[in-house]
Amino acid sequence: MGNIYGDWLKQQREAADLTQQQLADMAIMTRSHIAHIEAGRRVPSKEDARRLDTALNTGNVLSSFLPEEEAAVADYFEATRLLEQQASMIREFALSFVPGILQTEGYARAVLSTSFPRVSDEECDRRLVTRLERAKVLDDPVTPVVWALLDEAVLHRRIGGPGVMAEQIGHLVRLAECGRIQVHVLPFALGTHPLLSNMLTLMWFEDQPPMAYAEGLYMGMLHDVPSVVQELQHRYDFALGNALPLRETLTLLKATARDYESHD
C-alpha cells in the first residue's frame, strides 16, 4: 500500500506527543503493529483503525480512509503476502521455482508469462509489479532473516532461457555472499525427502505465533494451528539437515551459473 496513511498516523501520534508503545497501549495493540502500519507494511483492520481514532481523537478519519489492497496475487495467497511483509524470519522451501521474494525481474516475468490460462500483457505486468514489491522485504539489511532451501531441480529447470537463469542464480549467490540470506540445495543424489510434495514457507513474527504456508497447483493453505506448524517446521529441519552446506551450495550455484552463461 502507499504510505500516505502510515505517514499521517505517525504525524498524529507525534502531534499527540505519544511514543509507539504509548499509542499501542491506548489502542490495545502491540508496538510492532503500530510500527508496521506507520511504515506501510500492514493495513489495520477496521477495529484497529477505530481504536486508533479513539486513542488519537481523530474522529473517524483512520476508519474512513483505510487503504485498499490492490496487489495482483491469487486469492489464496493474499493473507500470506501480507504476513511475509511483517515476518521477522522467513524460511522458504522451493521445489520447482525460486521463491517469489528472491526472484529477479527477468525470472519473475518468465514465470508469470507462462501462466495458464494465459493472461494479457497488462495483467502480467501487474503481477510482476506485485512480485517485485514483495522482494523489497530484502531492502532492510537485517530483517527478516531469510533462509532458502532449494531442491536441485530449481537450478536445472530453464525458466526464461540460459541468460535469465544465469542472472537469477547470480542474484542468489550475491545475496548469500553478502550475508543477506542463507541458501542451501537439496541434491538430486539425496533421493526422496520430507518436503518433496509441496513448496513451503515458514514465518516467525515479533507479535504473534509462527505460521506456515504450503502451496500446490491452484491452491494454498495458511496454517496457524501450533501442532501443524510445528510438524512442518520439523519436516523443514529434517530436510535442511540433509542439504549441502552453504560453501558447497555456493560452489554448485556458481558452477551452474557459469554453465548457463556458456550456453547463452
Side-chain angles (χ1 to χ4, degrees):
M1 70 179 184
N3 203 30
I4 295 176
Y5 189 93
D7 288 342
W8 194 84
L9 171 61
K10 182 178 181 180
Q11 291 169 9
Q12 299 307 304
R13 175 179 62 76
E14 292 178 342
D17 197 26
L18 295 172
T19 65
Q20 289 180 339
Q21 187 60 63
Q22 287 170 330
L23 177 57
D25 293 341
M26 294 170 65
I28 319 175
M29 299 164 66
T30 64
R31 185 209 59 76
S32 60
H33 194 163
I34 298 293
H36 284 310
I37 296 171
E38 290 186 353
R41 294 189 295 267
R42 181 180 292 186
V43 177
S45 67
K46 291 182 179 179
E47 179 58 23
D48 289 340
R50 184 193 66 76
R51 290 201 301 269
L52 289 169
D53 272 328
T54 300
L56 293 169
N57 196 27
T58 49
N60 64 351
V61 176
L62 291 164
S63 302
S64 299
F65 295 98
L66 280 171
E68 295 182 0
E69 293 291 341
E70 298 179 350
V73 295
D75 290 344
Y76 55 76
F77 183 71
E78 175 61 9
T80 303
R81 183 187 70 82
L82 294 173
L83 286 167
E84 74 180 2
Q85 302 299 309
Q86 305 159 26
S88 57
M89 175 180 283
I90 299 174
R91 295 186 183 182
E92 298 272 16
F93 167 68
L95 185 61
S96 300
F97 301 109
V98 171
I101 61 173
L102 301 177
Q103 291 179 6
T104 62
E105 180 175 350
Y107 186 95
R109 185 178 292 279
V111 170
L112 294 169
S113 65
T114 57
S115 62
F116 183 85
R118 186 172 176 82
V119 297
S120 67
D121 290 342
E122 291 78 9
E123 178 61 20
C124 183
D125 286 342
R126 287 185 66 237
R127 296 181 184 184
L128 177 63
V129 168
T130 296
R131 182 146 312 175
L132 297 179
E133 284 293 318
R134 288 174 54 207
K136 288 183 178 179
V137 297
L138 297 175
D139 288 351
D140 186 303
V142 178
T143 304
V145 174
V146 175
W147 290 11
L149 180 59
L150 311 177
D151 191 283
E152 190 175 350
V154 173
L155 307 183
H156 298 292
R157 191 173 301 282
R158 295 196 176 196
I159 305 297
V164 170
M165 289 299 298
E167 179 187 35
Q168 175 63 74
I169 294 173
H171 179 59
L172 295 175
V173 170
R174 288 188 294 274
L175 288 172
E177 288 189 330
C178 77
R180 185 59 190 86
I181 70 170
Q182 189 84 3
V183 60
H184 299 276
V185 168
L186 283 164
F188 283 139
L190 178 63
T192 188
H193 57 77
L195 298 176
L196 196 55
S197 59
N198 289 97
M199 63 143 284
L200 177 66
T201 300
L202 302 171
M203 295 172 285
W204 285 260
F205 308 89
E206 294 178 358
D207 57 354
Q208 58 185 315
M211 303 183 78
Y213 174 76
E215 183 173 297
L217 186 62
Y218 286 108
M219 66 176 186
M221 177 68 72
L222 184 62
H223 299 280
D224 59 3
V225 177
S227 60
V228 175
V229 174
Q230 186 175 63
E231 179 184 340
L232 292 171
Q233 290 172 349
H234 289 165
R235 283 175 174 260
Y236 190 100
D237 291 342
F238 187 87
L240 181 62
N242 288 292
L244 296 178
L246 176 60
R247 182 174 297 181
E248 292 180 28
T249 290
L250 288 175
T251 298
L252 175 60
L253 291 176
K254 291 175 182 178
T256 306
R258 286 195 298 268
D259 185 58
Y260 279 123
E261 289 168 350
S262 68
H263 290 88
D264 191 10

